[in-house]
Amino acid sequence: MKPQFPTEQSESGEFQRQEDAFREWISADGSTPYPAATGRYHLYVSLACPWASRTVIFRMLKGLEDAIGMTIVDPIRDERGWAFRDGPGHSTDPVNDFKFLSEAYAATDPNFDGRVTVPVLWDKETKKIVNNCEDDICRMFNDAFNAVAQNKDVDLFPKEIAQGQEKLSDFLYDHVNNGVYKAGFATHQRPYEISCLKLFEALDELEARLSQSRYLFGNRIVEADWRLFCTLIRFDVVYHGHFKCNLRRIIDYPNLQSYLMDLYQQPGIADTVNFDHIKRHYYMTHTEINPTRIVPIGPALDLTKGHGREKM
């Protein structure tokens, strides 16, 4: 099988994700050339992408909608990459009138030759990408932009659990967030099986953890919860079938399923989830995996039912 992204594939058929190219830092104290100012930065995202979706959630939870503009790309990505087009839930680019996100990359580094990814945090003043790493962007939204945030009391990186959260976030990234991709983009049987088994071992472990507490760290929602949510919300819809992560579904895990529903029902979160974008992106964009580009009509999911986790 041909790899979906040839430059990110090992000879033995393993998917090896590229590093983020732009890692400049926005500061509240003037310690970097990028101050946290209202109206200066713009977020380019796809609602299909789990990495980008986490930044959309953080922007909403912190109340940064008025401080940081946002544009959503077309979920259908062809050989020209992410595109700005008018359509249901996506639009043209009001800031630079870019037709493709690759133009933002070329404006920042004319020699950039990697894969163009979302999210992108754009600086309207220097006309360059400040950062395209979702981990950095979430951290900056939480910390650096707090002075201009409407929800200043929301802290998704509490200091007292910093070490534990960092360790769990690394585990989630390796085995779950990126684990589904390592299974889905593998081009040989053995790397697929290894990645898939590690993924389900991790889900089993998380199922046990969530039998003891409402969220990953007790009774409050932190960054690690949203990190896990962005994979769980896509799991039964695309990863189970499209990426062959089909040992079990999330709905087969009582605690993971009720936890997913609990998070989905938090104020404003459902508005950040677009199943149409998610399904059309994965099934129509990954033509090496799904050459017919047929988008399945299911599964039928109801994430609005009572979940019962408030009793925990």
Side-chain angles (χ1 to χ4, degrees):
M1 177 187 154
K2 249 169 66 181
Q4 185 69 33
F5 303 116
T7 59
E8 295 171 70
Q9 210 80 18
S10 75
E11 284 183 18
S12 57
E14 293 152 324
F15 175 60
Q16 297 172 332
R17 187 176 294 279
Q18 69 177 20
E19 293 293 319
D20 295 313
F22 306 109
R23 303 287 297 271
E24 295 291 339
W25 205 260
I26 294 166
S27 61
D29 60 4
S31 58
T32 70
Y34 300 95
T38 296
R40 176 166 172 169
Y41 304 99
H42 196 81
L43 187 63
Y44 290 128
V45 295
S46 163
L47 296 184
C49 169
W51 321 106
S53 289
R54 184 151 37 103
T55 66
V56 177
I57 289 170
F58 267 62
R59 175 178 173 267
M60 187 274 298
L61 291 175
K62 287 296 294 182
L64 289 167
E65 293 96 329
D66 294 338
I68 300 164
M70 184 174 81
T71 302
I72 298 162
V73 297
D74 188 335
I76 308 300
R77 189 184 65 206
D78 59 20
E79 67 282 353
R80 295 168 297 173
W82 296 109
F84 297 101
R85 301 185 189 101
D86 270 325
H90 56 89
S91 71
T92 53
D93 172 22
V95 176
N96 298 294
D97 201 30
F98 290 148
K99 300 295 179 270
F100 294 93
L101 189 59
S102 56
E103 295 171 61
Y105 279 72
T108 309
D109 177 7
N111 299 314
F112 178 80
D113 66 349
R115 181 160 57 91
V116 171
T117 61
V118 284
V120 158
L121 192 58
W122 176 265
D123 178 18
K124 292 194 266 189
E125 202 163 291
T126 61
K127 295 186 166 43
K128 287 184 175 177
I129 296 170
V130 180
N131 202 297
N132 74 327
C133 169
E134 68 286 343
D135 290 348
D136 293 353
I137 294 170
C138 287
R139 174 64 81 167
M140 290 186 284
F141 284 1
N142 189 76
D143 300 346
F145 283 94
N146 204 45
V148 297
Q150 287 176 343
N151 304 327
K152 293 177 172 55
D153 294 338
V154 172
D155 181 11
L156 296 149
F157 295 96
K159 286 187 174 59
E160 60 272 23
I161 60 160
Q163 212 173 344
Q165 179 161 228
E166 192 175 336
K167 188 179 173 190
L168 183 62
S169 290
D170 287 346
F171 171 82
L172 290 172
Y173 173 79
D174 286 336
H175 299 291
V176 181
N177 305 137
N178 201 37
V180 292
Y181 285 91
K182 287 194 281 191
F185 286 156
T187 52
H188 290 91
Q189 187 70 26
R190 183 161 168 73
Y192 154 72
E193 287 184 9
I194 290 168
S195 298
C196 205
L197 289 169
K198 279 185 182 170
L199 164 66
F200 281 95
E201 280 170 20
L203 291 176
D204 292 345
E205 202 173 306
L206 292 161
E207 171 72 6
R209 182 176 184 132
L210 289 165
S211 71
Q212 303 297 314
S213 63
R214 183 171 178 179
Y215 305 114
L216 291 173
F217 288 91
N219 228 11
R220 63 175 161 190
I221 306 175
V222 296
E223 185 269 350
D225 292 294
W226 296 120
R227 174 184 287 274
L228 179 55
F229 171 83
C230 288
T231 298
L232 295 184
I233 197 73
R234 288 163 176 76
F235 201 96
D236 291 0
V237 177
V238 288
Y239 300 144
H240 178 268
H242 183 60
F243 277 177
K244 305 177 187 69
C245 300
N246 63 356
L247 272 179
R248 285 175 289 284
R249 301 163 302 167
I250 298 306
I251 205 167
D252 299 323
Y253 288 98
N255 291 303
L256 281 170
Q257 178 66 17
S258 59
Y259 165 81
L260 169 61
M261 291 160 68
D262 187 357
L263 290 175
Y264 181 79
Q265 291 170 29
Q266 296 298 315
I269 295 301
D271 293 335
T272 72
V273 177
N274 188 316
F275 286 118
D276 172 62
H277 281 213
I278 290 167
K279 289 205 291 188
R280 285 195 297 128
H281 169 70
Y282 281 89
Y283 283 102
M284 294 181 74
T285 293
H286 301 149
T287 49
E288 301 300 337
I289 299 172
N290 186 36
T292 63
R293 301 179 85 214
I294 289 170
V295 181
I297 58 173
L301 295 173
D302 184 1
L303 298 172
T304 62
K305 292 185 297 194
H307 51 73
R309 291 192 69 81
E310 63 281 347
K311 300 188 189 84
M312 295 189 76

